[in-house]
Coordinates of all heavy atoms in Angstrom, one line a residue:
M6 N -13.1 -54.2 -60.1 CA -13.6 -54.9 -59.0 C -14.5 -54.1 -58.1 O -14.1 -52.9 -57.9 CB -12.4 -55.4 -58.1 CG -12.8 -56.2 -57.0 SD -11.6 -56.4 -55.7 CE -11.4 -54.7 -55.3
V7 N -15.6 -54.6 -57.7 CA -16.5 -53.9 -56.9 C -16.4 -54.4 -55.5 O -16.3 -55.6 -55.2 CB -18.0 -54.2 -57.4 CG1 -19.0 -53.5 -56.5 CG2 -18.1 -53.6 -58.8
P8 N -16.3 -53.5 -54.5 CA -16.3 -54.0 -53.1 C -17.6 -54.8 -52.8 O -18.6 -54.5 -53.3 CB -16.3 -52.7 -52.3 CG -15.8 -51.7 -53.1 CD -16.2 -52.1 -54.5
V9 N -17.5 -55.9 -52.2 CA -18.6 -56.8 -51.9 C -19.5 -56.2 -50.8 O -19.0 -55.8 -49.7 CB -18.1 -58.1 -51.4 CG1 -19.3 -59.0 -50.9 CG2 -17.3 -58.8 -52.4
I10 N -20.7 -56.0 -51.1 CA -21.7 -55.5 -50.1 C -22.4 -56.7 -49.5 O -22.9 -57.5 -50.1 CB -22.7 -54.5 -50.7 CG1 -22.0 -53.4 -51.3 CG2 -23.8 -54.1 -49.7 CD1 -22.9 -52.4 -52.1
P11 N -22.3 -56.8 -48.1 CA -22.8 -58.0 -47.4 C -24.3 -58.0 -47.6 O -24.9 -57.1 -47.8 CB -22.3 -57.7 -46.0 CG -22.0 -56.4 -45.9 CD -21.6 -55.8 -47.3
P12 N -24.9 -59.2 -47.5 CA -26.3 -59.3 -47.6 C -27.1 -58.5 -46.6 O -28.2 -58.1 -47.1 CB -26.5 -60.8 -47.2 CG -25.2 -61.5 -47.4 CD -24.2 -60.5 -47.2
S13 N -26.6 -58.1 -45.6 CA -27.4 -57.2 -44.7 C -27.7 -55.9 -45.2 O -28.4 -55.1 -44.7 CB -26.6 -57.0 -43.3 OG -25.4 -56.3 -43.5
G14 N -26.9 -55.5 -46.3 CA -27.1 -54.2 -47.0 C -26.2 -53.1 -46.3 O -26.3 -51.9 -46.8
A15 N -25.4 -53.5 -45.4 CA -24.5 -52.6 -44.8 C -23.4 -52.1 -45.8 O -23.2 -52.9 -46.8 CB -23.6 -53.2 -43.6
P16 N -23.0 -50.9 -45.7 CA -22.0 -50.4 -46.7 C -20.7 -51.3 -46.7 O -20.5 -51.8 -45.7 CB -21.8 -49.0 -46.4 CG -22.2 -48.8 -45.0 CD -23.2 -49.9 -44.8
P17 N -20.0 -51.3 -47.8 CA -18.8 -52.1 -47.8 C -17.7 -51.5 -46.9 O -17.7 -50.3 -46.6 CB -18.3 -52.0 -49.3 CG -18.9 -50.8 -49.8 CD -20.3 -50.6 -49.0
T18 N -17.0 -52.4 -46.3 CA -15.9 -52.0 -45.5 C -14.6 -52.6 -46.0 O -14.7 -53.6 -46.6 CB -16.1 -52.3 -44.0 OG1 -16.2 -53.7 -43.9 CG2 -17.4 -51.7 -43.5
P19 N -13.5 -52.0 -45.6 CA -12.2 -52.6 -46.1 C -12.0 -54.1 -45.7 O -11.5 -54.9 -46.5 CB -11.1 -51.7 -45.5 CG -11.8 -50.4 -45.4 CD -13.2 -50.8 -45.0
A20 N -12.5 -54.4 -44.6 CA -12.3 -55.8 -44.1 C -13.2 -56.8 -44.9 O -12.8 -58.0 -45.0 CB -12.7 -55.9 -42.6
R21 N -14.3 -56.2 -45.5 CA -15.1 -57.2 -46.3 C -14.7 -57.3 -47.7 O -15.3 -58.0 -48.5 CB -16.6 -56.7 -46.2 CG -17.2 -56.8 -44.8 CD -18.6 -56.4 -44.9 NE -19.2 -56.5 -43.6 CZ -19.8 -55.6 -43.0 NH1 -20.1 -54.5 -43.6 NH2 -20.4 -55.7 -41.8
E22 N -13.8 -56.6 -48.3 CA -13.5 -56.5 -49.6 C -12.9 -57.9 -50.1 O -12.0 -58.4 -49.4 CB -12.4 -55.4 -49.8 CG -11.9 -55.3 -51.3 CD -10.8 -54.3 -51.4 OE1 -10.2 -54.0 -50.4 OE2 -10.6 -53.8 -52.5
A23 N -13.4 -58.3 -51.1 CA -12.9 -59.6 -51.7 C -13.3 -59.6 -53.1 O -14.2 -59.0 -53.6 CB -13.4 -60.8 -51.0
T24 N -12.6 -60.4 -53.9 CA -13.0 -60.7 -55.3 C -14.2 -61.6 -55.3 O -14.5 -62.3 -54.3 CB -11.9 -61.3 -56.1 OG1 -11.4 -62.5 -55.5 CG2 -10.7 -60.3 -56.2
M25 N -14.8 -61.9 -56.4 CA -16.0 -62.7 -56.6 C -15.7 -64.1 -56.2 O -16.6 -64.8 -55.7 CB -16.6 -62.6 -58.0 CG -17.2 -61.2 -58.3 SD -18.3 -60.6 -57.1 CE -19.8 -61.5 -57.6
D26 N -14.5 -64.6 -56.4 CA -14.1 -66.0 -56.0 C -13.6 -66.1 -54.5 O -13.1 -67.1 -54.2 CB -13.2 -66.6 -57.1 CG -11.9 -66.0 -57.1 OD1 -11.6 -64.9 -56.5 OD2 -11.1 -66.4 -58.0
G27 N -13.6 -65.0 -53.8 CA -13.1 -65.0 -52.4 C -11.7 -64.7 -52.2 O -11.2 -64.6 -51.1
R28 N -10.9 -64.5 -53.3 CA -9.5 -64.3 -53.1 C -9.3 -62.7 -52.7 O -10.1 -61.9 -53.0 CB -8.7 -64.5 -54.4 CG -8.5 -65.8 -54.8 CD -7.8 -65.9 -56.1 NE -8.5 -65.3 -57.2 CZ -8.0 -64.3 -57.9 NH1 -6.8 -63.8 -57.7 NH2 -8.7 -63.8 -58.9
Q29 N -8.3 -62.5 -52.0 CA -8.0 -61.1 -51.5 C -7.5 -60.3 -52.7 O -6.6 -60.8 -53.5 CB -6.9 -61.2 -50.5 CG -6.6 -59.9 -49.7 CD -7.8 -59.5 -48.8 OE1 -8.9 -60.1 -48.8 NE2 -7.6 -58.5 -48.0
P30 N -8.0 -59.2 -53.0 CA -7.5 -58.5 -54.2 C -6.1 -57.9 -54.0 O -5.7 -57.8 -52.8 CB -8.6 -57.4 -54.4 CG -9.2 -57.2 -53.0 CD -9.1 -58.6 -52.4
E31 N -5.5 -57.4 -55.0 CA -4.2 -56.8 -54.9 C -4.3 -55.4 -54.4 O -5.3 -54.7 -54.6 CB -3.6 -56.8 -56.3 CG -3.3 -58.2 -56.9 CD -2.7 -58.2 -58.3 OE1 -2.4 -57.0 -58.7 OE2 -2.4 -59.2 -58.8
H32 N -3.2 -54.9 -53.9 CA -3.1 -53.6 -53.4 C -4.1 -53.1 -52.4 O -4.7 -52.1 -52.5 CB -3.0 -52.6 -54.6 CG -1.8 -53.0 -55.5 ND1 -0.6 -52.4 -55.2 CD2 -1.7 -53.7 -56.5 CE1 0.3 -52.9 -56.1 NE2 -0.3 -53.7 -57.0
T33 N -4.3 -53.9 -51.3 CA -5.1 -53.7 -50.3 C -4.4 -53.0 -49.1 O -3.2 -53.1 -49.1 CB -5.8 -55.0 -49.7 OG1 -4.8 -55.8 -49.3 CG2 -6.7 -55.6 -50.7
P34 N -5.1 -52.2 -48.3 CA -4.4 -51.6 -47.2 C -4.0 -52.5 -46.0 O -4.7 -53.4 -45.7 CB -5.4 -50.5 -46.8 CG -6.8 -51.1 -47.1 CD -6.5 -51.9 -48.4
R35 N -2.8 -52.3 -45.5 CA -2.4 -53.0 -44.3 C -2.7 -52.1 -43.2 O -2.4 -50.9 -43.2 CB -0.9 -53.3 -44.4 CG -0.4 -54.1 -43.2 CD 1.1 -54.3 -43.2 NE 1.8 -53.1 -43.0 CZ 3.0 -52.7 -43.6 NH1 3.6 -53.6 -44.4 NH2 3.6 -51.6 -43.2
R36 N -3.4 -52.6 -42.2 CA -3.7 -51.8 -41.0 C -2.7 -52.1 -39.8 O -2.2 -53.2 -39.8 CB -5.1 -52.1 -40.6 CG -6.1 -51.6 -41.6 CD -7.3 -52.6 -41.6 NE -8.3 -52.2 -42.5 CZ -8.4 -52.7 -43.8 NH1 -7.5 -53.5 -44.2 NH2 -9.3 -52.3 -44.6
P37 N -2.5 -51.2 -38.9 CA -3.2 -49.9 -38.7 C -2.4 -48.8 -39.5 O -2.8 -47.6 -39.4 CB -3.1 -49.8 -37.3 CG -1.8 -50.4 -36.9 CD -1.7 -51.6 -37.8
D38 N -1.3 -49.1 -40.2 CA -0.5 -48.0 -40.8 C -1.0 -47.6 -42.2 O -0.5 -46.5 -42.7 CB 1.0 -48.4 -40.8 CG 1.3 -49.7 -41.5 OD1 0.3 -50.3 -41.9 OD2 2.5 -50.0 -41.6
W39 N -1.9 -48.3 -42.7 CA -2.5 -47.9 -44.1 C -1.4 -47.7 -45.1 O -1.4 -46.7 -45.8 CB -3.4 -46.6 -43.9 CG -4.7 -47.0 -43.2 CD1 -4.9 -47.2 -41.9 CD2 -5.9 -47.5 -43.8 NE1 -6.2 -47.6 -41.6 CE2 -6.8 -47.8 -42.8 CE3 -6.3 -47.5 -45.1 CZ2 -8.1 -48.3 -43.0 CZ3 -7.6 -48.0 -45.4 CH2 -8.5 -48.3 -44.4
V40 N -0.6 -48.7 -45.3 CA 0.2 -48.8 -46.4 C -0.2 -50.0 -47.3 O -0.9 -50.9 -46.8 CB 1.7 -48.9 -46.1 CG1 2.2 -47.6 -45.3 CG2 2.0 -50.1 -45.3
C41 N 0.1 -49.9 -48.5 CA -0.3 -51.0 -49.5 C 0.4 -52.3 -49.2 O 1.7 -52.4 -48.9 CB 0.0 -50.6 -50.9 SG -0.4 -51.9 -52.1
R42 N -0.3 -53.4 -49.1 CA 0.3 -54.8 -48.8 C 1.2 -55.2 -49.9 O 2.1 -55.9 -49.6 CB -0.8 -55.8 -48.6 CG -1.6 -55.6 -47.4 CD -2.8 -56.7 -47.5 NE -3.8 -56.4 -46.5 CZ -3.9 -56.9 -45.3 NH1 -3.0 -57.9 -45.0 NH2 -4.9 -56.6 -44.5
D43 N 1.1 -54.7 -51.1 CA 1.8 -55.1 -52.2 C 3.1 -54.3 -52.5 O 4.1 -54.9 -52.8 CB 1.0 -55.3 -53.5 CG -0.1 -56.4 -53.3 OD1 0.2 -57.5 -52.9 OD2 -1.2 -56.1 -53.7
C44 N 2.9 -52.9 -52.5 CA 3.9 -52.2 -53.0 C 4.6 -51.2 -51.8 O 5.7 -50.7 -51.9 CB 3.6 -51.2 -54.1 SG 2.3 -50.0 -53.7
G45 N 3.9 -51.3 -50.6 CA 4.5 -50.5 -49.5 C 4.3 -49.0 -49.5 O 4.7 -48.3 -48.6
E46 N 3.5 -48.5 -50.5 CA 3.3 -47.1 -50.6 C 2.1 -46.7 -49.8 O 1.3 -47.6 -49.5 CB 3.0 -46.7 -52.1 CG 4.3 -46.8 -52.9 CD 4.2 -46.0 -54.2 OE1 3.7 -44.9 -54.1 OE2 4.6 -46.6 -55.2
P47 N 1.9 -45.5 -49.4 CA 0.7 -45.0 -48.7 C -0.5 -45.4 -49.5 O -0.6 -45.2 -50.7 CB 0.8 -43.6 -48.5 CG 2.3 -43.3 -48.6 CD 2.8 -44.3 -49.6
W48 N -1.5 -46.0 -48.8 CA -2.7 -46.5 -49.4 C -3.8 -45.4 -49.5 O -3.9 -44.7 -48.5 CB -3.3 -47.7 -48.7 CG -4.3 -48.4 -49.5 CD1 -4.0 -49.5 -50.3 CD2 -5.6 -48.2 -49.6 NE1 -5.2 -49.8 -51.0 CE2 -6.2 -49.1 -50.5 CE3 -6.5 -47.3 -49.0 CZ2 -7.5 -49.1 -50.8 CZ3 -7.9 -47.3 -49.3 CH2 -8.4 -48.3 -50.2
P49 N -4.5 -45.2 -50.6 CA -4.4 -46.0 -51.8 C -3.2 -45.6 -52.6 O -2.9 -44.5 -52.9 CB -5.8 -45.6 -52.5 CG -6.1 -44.3 -52.1 CD -5.6 -44.2 -50.6
C50 N -2.5 -46.7 -53.1 CA -1.2 -46.5 -53.8 C -1.7 -46.1 -55.2 O -2.9 -46.3 -55.7 CB -0.4 -47.7 -53.8 SG -1.2 -49.2 -54.5
P51 N -0.8 -45.7 -56.1 CA -1.1 -45.4 -57.5 C -1.8 -46.5 -58.3 O -2.7 -46.3 -59.0 CB 0.3 -45.1 -58.1 CG 1.1 -44.5 -57.0 CD 0.7 -45.4 -55.8
T52 N -1.4 -47.8 -58.0 CA -2.0 -49.0 -58.8 C -3.5 -49.0 -58.3 O -4.4 -49.2 -59.1 CB -1.2 -50.2 -58.5 OG1 0.1 -50.1 -58.9 CG2 -1.9 -51.4 -59.1
R53 N -3.7 -49.0 -57.0 CA -5.0 -49.1 -56.4 C -5.9 -47.9 -57.0 O -7.0 -48.0 -57.2 CB -5.0 -49.2 -54.9 CG -6.4 -49.5 -54.3 CD -6.9 -50.8 -54.9 NE -8.0 -51.2 -54.0 CZ -8.7 -52.2 -54.3 NH1 -8.5 -53.1 -55.3 NH2 -9.8 -52.5 -53.5
R54 N -5.3 -46.7 -57.0 CA -6.0 -45.6 -57.5 C -6.5 -45.8 -58.9 O -7.7 -45.5 -59.2 CB -5.1 -44.3 -57.4 CG -4.9 -43.8 -56.0 CD -4.0 -42.7 -56.0 NE -3.7 -42.2 -54.7 CZ -2.9 -41.2 -54.4 NH1 -2.4 -40.5 -55.3 NH2 -2.7 -40.8 -53.1
D55 N -5.6 -46.4 -59.8 CA -6.1 -46.6 -61.1 C -7.2 -47.7 -61.2 O -8.1 -47.6 -61.9 CB -4.8 -47.2 -61.9 CG -3.8 -46.1 -62.3 OD1 -4.2 -44.9 -62.2 OD2 -2.7 -46.4 -62.6
M56 N -7.1 -48.7 -60.3 CA -8.2 -49.7 -60.2 C -9.5 -49.1 -59.8 O -10.5 -49.3 -60.3 CB -7.8 -50.8 -59.2 CG -6.5 -51.6 -59.7 SD -5.8 -52.6 -58.4 CE -7.0 -53.8 -58.1
L57 N -9.3 -48.2 -58.8 CA -10.6 -47.5 -58.3 C -11.2 -46.6 -59.4 O -12.4 -46.4 -59.5 CB -10.3 -46.7 -57.0 CG -10.0 -47.6 -55.8 CD1 -9.4 -46.8 -54.7 CD2 -11.3 -48.3 -55.3
L58 N -10.3 -45.8 -60.2 CA -10.8 -45.0 -61.2 C -11.5 -45.8 -62.2 O -12.6 -45.3 -62.7 CB -9.8 -44.2 -61.7 CG -9.3 -42.9 -60.9 CD1 -8.0 -42.4 -61.6 CD2 -10.3 -41.9 -60.7
D59 N -11.0 -46.9 -62.6 CA -11.6 -47.8 -63.5 C -13.0 -48.3 -63.1 O -14.0 -48.2 -63.8 CB -10.8 -49.0 -63.8 CG -9.6 -48.8 -64.7 OD1 -9.4 -47.6 -65.3 OD2 -8.6 -49.6 -64.7
E60 N -13.1 -48.6 -61.8 CA -14.4 -49.0 -61.2 C -15.3 -47.8 -61.1 O -16.5 -48.0 -61.3 CB -14.2 -49.7 -59.9 CG -15.4 -50.3 -59.3 CD -16.1 -51.2 -60.1 OE1 -15.4 -52.1 -60.8 OE2 -17.4 -51.2 -60.2
M61 N -14.8 -46.7 -60.9 CA -15.6 -45.5 -60.7 C -16.4 -45.1 -62.0 O -17.5 -44.7 -61.9 CB -14.8 -44.3 -60.3 CG -15.7 -43.1 -59.8 SD -14.7 -41.8 -59.1 CE -14.4 -42.5 -57.5
R62 N -15.9 -45.5 -63.1 CA -16.5 -45.3 -64.4 C -17.7 -46.2 -64.6 O -18.6 -45.8 -65.3 CB -15.5 -45.5 -65.5 CG -14.5 -44.4 -65.6 CD -13.5 -44.6 -66.8 NE -12.5 -43.6 -66.8 CZ -11.3 -43.8 -66.2 NH1 -11.1 -45.0 -65.6 NH2 -10.4 -42.8 -66.2
V63 N -17.7 -47.3 -63.9 CA -18.8 -48.2 -64.0 C -19.8 -48.2 -62.8 O -21.0 -48.2 -63.0 CB -18.2 -49.7 -64.0 CG1 -19.3 -50.8 -64.1 CG2 -17.2 -49.9 -65.2
N64 N -19.2 -48.0 -61.6 CA -20.1 -48.0 -60.4 C -19.6 -47.0 -59.5 O -18.9 -47.4 -58.4 CB -20.1 -49.4 -59.8 CG -21.2 -49.6 -58.9 OD1 -21.8 -48.7 -58.4 ND2 -21.4 -50.8 -58.4
P65 N -19.8 -45.7 -59.7 CA -19.2 -44.7 -58.9 C -19.8 -44.7 -57.5 O -18.9 -44.4 -56.5 CB -19.6 -43.4 -59.5 CG -20.7 -43.7 -60.4 CD -20.5 -45.1 -60.8
L66 N -21.0 -45.0 -57.2 CA -21.4 -45.1 -55.8 C -20.8 -46.1 -55.0 O -20.5 -45.8 -53.8 CB -23.0 -45.3 -55.8 CG -23.6 -45.4 -54.5 CD1 -23.5 -44.0 -53.7 CD2 -25.2 -45.7 -54.6
A67 N -20.5 -47.2 -55.5 CA -19.8 -48.3 -54.8 C -18.4 -47.9 -54.4 O -18.0 -48.1 -53.3 CB -19.8 -49.6 -55.5
V68 N -17.7 -47.2 -55.3 CA -16.4 -46.7 -55.0 C -16.5 -45.6 -53.9 O -15.6 -45.6 -52.9 CB -15.7 -46.2 -56.3 CG1 -14.3 -45.6 -55.9 CG2 -15.5 -47.3 -57.2
V69 N -17.3 -44.7 -54.0 CA -17.5 -43.6 -53.0 C -17.8 -44.2 -51.6 O -17.2 -43.8 -50.6 CB -18.5 -42.6 -53.5 CG1 -18.7 -41.6 -52.3 CG2 -18.0 -41.8 -54.6
L70 N -18.7 -45.2 -51.6 CA -19.0 -45.8 -50.3 C -17.9 -46.6 -49.7 O -17.5 -46.5 -48.5 CB -20.2 -46.7 -50.5 CG -21.6 -46.1 -50.7 CD1 -22.6 -47.1 -51.0 CD2 -22.0 -45.2 -49.5
Y71 N -17.1 -47.3 -50.6 CA -15.9 -48.0 -50.2 C -14.8 -47.0 -49.6 O -14.3 -47.2 -48.5 CB -15.3 -48.7 -51.3 CG -14.0 -49.4 -51.0 CD1 -13.9 -50.5 -50.1 CD2 -12.8 -49.0 -51.7 CE1 -12.7 -51.1 -49.8 CE2 -11.7 -49.6 -51.5 CZ -11.6 -50.6 -50.5 OH -10.4 -51.2 -50.3
L72 N -14.6 -45.9 -50.3 CA -13.6 -44.9 -49.9 C -14.0 -44.2 -48.5 O -13.2 -43.9 -47.7 CB -13.3 -43.9 -51.0 CG -12.5 -44.5 -52.1 CD1 -12.3 -43.4 -53.2 CD2 -11.1 -44.9 -51.6
A73 N -15.3 -44.0 -48.4 CA -15.9 -43.4 -47.2 C -15.7 -44.3 -46.0 O -15.3 -43.9 -45.0 CB -17.4 -43.0 -47.4
A74 N -15.9 -45.6 -46.2 CA -15.6 -46.6 -45.1 C -14.1 -46.7 -44.8 O -13.7 -46.6 -43.6 CB -16.1 -47.9 -45.5
C75 N -13.2 -46.5 -45.9 CA -11.8 -46.6 -45.6 C -11.4 -45.3 -44.9 O -10.6 -45.3 -43.9 CB -11.1 -46.7 -46.9 SG -11.2 -48.2 -47.8
F76 N -12.0 -44.2 -45.2 CA -11.7 -42.9 -44.6 C -12.0 -43.0 -43.1 O -11.2 -42.5 -42.3 CB -12.4 -41.8 -45.3 CG -12.4 -40.5 -44.5 CD1 -11.2 -39.7 -44.5 CD2 -13.4 -40.0 -43.9 CE1 -11.2 -38.5 -43.9 CE2 -13.4 -38.8 -43.2 CZ -12.2 -38.0 -43.2
E77 N -13.2 -43.5 -42.8 CA -13.6 -43.6 -41.4 C -12.7 -44.4 -40.7 O -12.3 -44.1 -39.6 CB -15.0 -44.1 -41.3 CG -15.6 -44.2 -40.0 CD -16.9 -44.7 -39.8 OE1 -17.5 -45.1 -40.8 OE2 -17.5 -44.8 -38.7
E78 N -12.3 -45.6 -41.2 CA -11.4 -46.5 -40.5 C -9.9 -45.8 -40.3 O -9.4 -45.9 -39.3 CB -11.4 -47.8 -41.2 CG -10.5 -48.8 -40.3 CD -10.5 -50.2 -41.0 OE1 -11.3 -50.5 -41.9 OE2 -9.7 -51.0 -40.6
A79 N -9.5 -45.3 -41.3 CA -8.2 -44.7 -41.3 C -8.1 -43.5 -40.4 O -7.0 -43.3 -39.8 CB -7.7 -44.4 -42.8
S80 N -9.1 -42.8 -40.4 CA -9.2 -41.5 -39.5 C -8.9 -42.0 -38.0 O -8.4 -41.2 -37.3 CB -10.5 -40.9 -39.6 OG -10.6 -40.3 -40.9
S81 N -9.5 -43.1 -37.7 CA -9.3 -43.5 -36.3 C -8.0 -44.3 -36.0 O -7.5 -44.4 -35.0 CB -10.4 -44.5 -35.9 OG -10.4 -45.6 -36.6
S82 N -7.3 -44.7 -37.1 CA -6.0 -45.3 -36.9 C -4.7 -44.5 -37.1 O -3.7 -44.7 -36.5 CB -5.9 -46.5 -38.0 OG -6.9 -47.4 -37.9
L83 N -4.9 -43.4 -38.0 CA -3.7 -42.6 -38.3 C -3.7 -41.4 -37.4 O -4.8 -40.9 -37.0 CB -3.7 -42.2 -39.7 CG -3.6 -43.4 -40.7 CD1 -3.8 -43.0 -42.1 CD2 -2.3 -44.1 -40.6
D84 N -2.5 -40.8 -37.1 CA -2.4 -39.6 -36.3 C -2.7 -38.4 -37.2 O -1.8 -37.9 -37.8 CB -1.0 -39.6 -35.7 CG -0.9 -38.5 -34.7 OD1 -1.9 -38.0 -34.2 OD2 0.3 -38.0 -34.5
D85 N -3.9 -38.0 -37.3 CA -4.4 -36.9 -38.0 C -5.6 -36.2 -37.3 O -6.7 -36.5 -37.6 CB -4.7 -37.3 -39.4 CG -5.2 -36.1 -40.4 OD1 -4.8 -35.0 -40.1 OD2 -5.8 -36.4 -41.3
P86 N -5.2 -35.4 -36.3 CA -6.4 -34.8 -35.5 C -7.5 -34.1 -36.3 O -8.7 -34.3 -35.9 CB -5.6 -33.8 -34.6 CG -4.2 -34.2 -34.7 CD -4.0 -34.8 -35.9
T87 N -7.2 -33.4 -37.4 CA -8.3 -32.7 -38.1 C -8.9 -33.6 -39.2 O -10.0 -33.3 -39.6 CB -7.8 -31.5 -38.8 OG1 -6.8 -31.8 -39.7 CG2 -7.1 -30.5 -37.7
G88 N -8.2 -34.7 -39.6 CA -8.7 -35.5 -40.6 C -8.4 -35.0 -42.0 O -8.7 -35.6 -43.0
D89 N -7.7 -33.9 -42.1 CA -7.4 -33.2 -43.4 C -6.5 -34.2 -44.2 O -6.7 -34.3 -45.4 CB -6.8 -31.9 -43.3 CG -7.8 -30.9 -42.8 OD1 -9.0 -31.2 -42.8 OD2 -7.4 -29.9 -42.2
A90 N -5.4 -34.6 -43.7 CA -4.4 -35.5 -44.3 C -5.1 -36.8 -44.8 O -4.8 -37.1 -45.9 CB -3.2 -35.7 -43.5
V91 N -5.9 -37.4 -44.0 CA -6.6 -38.6 -44.4 C -7.5 -38.3 -45.5 O -7.6 -39.1 -46.4 CB -7.2 -39.3 -43.2 CG1 -7.9 -40.6 -43.6 CG2 -6.1 -39.7 -42.1
Y92 N -8.3 -37.3 -45.4 CA -9.2 -36.9 -46.5 C -8.5 -36.8 -47.8 O -8.9 -37.3 -48.8 CB -10.1 -35.7 -46.1 CG -11.0 -35.3 -47.1 CD1 -12.3 -35.9 -47.2 CD2 -10.7 -34.5 -48.2 CE1 -13.2 -35.6 -48.1 CE2 -11.6 -34.2 -49.2 CZ -12.9 -34.7 -49.1 OH -13.7 -34.4 -50.1
S93 N -7.4 -36.0 -47.8 CA -6.6 -35.8 -49.0 C -6.1 -37.1 -49.6 O -6.1 -37.3 -50.8 CB -5.5 -34.8 -48.7 OG -5.9 -33.6 -48.5
R94 N -5.7 -38.0 -48.7 CA -5.1 -39.3 -49.1 C -6.2 -40.1 -49.7 O -5.9 -40.8 -50.7 CB -4.6 -39.9 -47.9 CG -3.8 -41.2 -48.1 CD -3.0 -41.4 -46.9 NE -2.6 -42.9 -46.8 CZ -1.9 -43.4 -45.8 NH1 -1.5 -42.6 -44.8 NH2 -1.6 -44.6 -45.9
M95 N -7.4 -40.1 -49.2 CA -8.5 -41.0 -49.7 C -9.2 -40.4 -50.9 O -9.6 -41.1 -51.7 CB -9.5 -41.3 -48.6 CG -8.9 -42.1 -47.4 SD -8.5 -43.7 -47.9 CE -7.5 -44.2 -46.5
F96 N -9.4 -39.1 -51.0 CA -10.2 -38.5 -52.0 C -9.5 -37.4 -52.8 O -10.0 -37.2 -53.9 CB -11.4 -37.8 -51.3 CG -12.3 -38.7 -50.5 CD1 -12.3 -38.8 -49.2 CD2 -13.2 -39.7 -51.2 CE1 -13.1 -39.6 -48.5 CE2 -14.0 -40.5 -50.5 CZ -14.0 -40.5 -49.1
G97 N -8.4 -36.8 -52.4 CA -7.7 -35.8 -53.1 C -7.2 -36.1 -54.4 O -7.2 -35.2 -55.3
W98 N -6.9 -37.3 -54.7 CA -6.4 -37.7 -56.0 C -7.5 -37.9 -57.1 O -7.1 -37.9 -58.2 CB -5.6 -39.0 -55.9 CG -6.5 -40.1 -55.2 CD1 -6.6 -40.3 -53.9 CD2 -7.2 -41.0 -55.9 NE1 -7.4 -41.4 -53.6 CE2 -7.9 -41.9 -54.9 CE3 -7.6 -41.3 -57.3 CZ2 -8.8 -42.9 -55.2 CZ3 -8.5 -42.3 -57.5 CH2 -9.1 -43.1 -56.5
I99 N -8.7 -37.9 -56.7 CA -9.7 -38.2 -57.7 C -9.9 -37.2 -58.8 O -9.9 -37.5 -60.0 CB -11.0 -38.5 -56.9 CG1 -11.0 -39.8 -56.1 CG2 -12.2 -38.7 -58.0 CD1 -12.2 -40.0 -55.3
G100 N -9.9 -35.9 -58.4 CA -10.1 -34.8 -59.4 C -8.8 -34.7 -60.2 O -9.1 -34.4 -61.5
D101 N -7.7 -35.0 -59.8 CA -6.5 -34.8 -60.5 C -6.4 -35.9 -61.6 O -5.8 -35.7 -62.7 CB -5.2 -34.9 -59.6 CG -5.2 -33.8 -58.7 OD1 -5.7 -32.7 -59.0 OD2 -4.5 -33.9 -57.7
R102 N -7.0 -37.1 -61.3 CA -6.7 -38.2 -62.2 C -8.1 -38.7 -62.9 O -8.0 -39.5 -63.7 CB -6.1 -39.4 -61.5 CG -4.8 -38.9 -60.9 CD -4.2 -40.0 -60.0 NE -3.9 -41.2 -60.8 CZ -3.2 -42.2 -60.3 NH1 -2.8 -42.2 -59.2 NH2 -3.0 -43.2 -61.1
G103 N -9.2 -38.1 -62.5 CA -10.4 -38.5 -63.0 C -10.7 -38.4 -64.5 O -11.5 -38.9 -65.1
S104 N -9.8 -37.4 -65.0 CA -10.1 -37.2 -66.5 C -9.2 -38.0 -67.4 O -9.1 -37.7 -68.5 CB -9.9 -35.6 -66.7 OG -8.5 -35.3 -66.4
R105 N -8.5 -38.9 -66.9 CA -7.6 -39.7 -67.6 C -8.2 -40.5 -68.8 O -9.3 -40.9 -68.9 CB -6.8 -40.6 -66.6 CG -6.4 -42.0 -67.1 CD -6.0 -42.6 -65.8 NE -6.9 -43.7 -65.6 CZ -6.7 -44.9 -65.6 NH1 -5.5 -45.4 -65.6 NH2 -7.7 -45.9 -65.4

């Protein structure tokens, strides 16, 4: 699944994410605590990570832009003064699992 980019050309944001038929996709973040709506694990949960890795193989730029938007929003919502924990949560798993 590719995050939907609005017609204005603005980068995708978590609030704009939807499937092509308009349904809410699975394993989306619940705000402001950034846990998965489906499984309750810290977002991105393992299932969503797998989904993002699959999409990264097809459209890496869209995934990176999506995660960057999520990082920006989560950084302002979560108590992480330096942003290190949020960065690790959003991007730290990619290198470990990217060779799957």
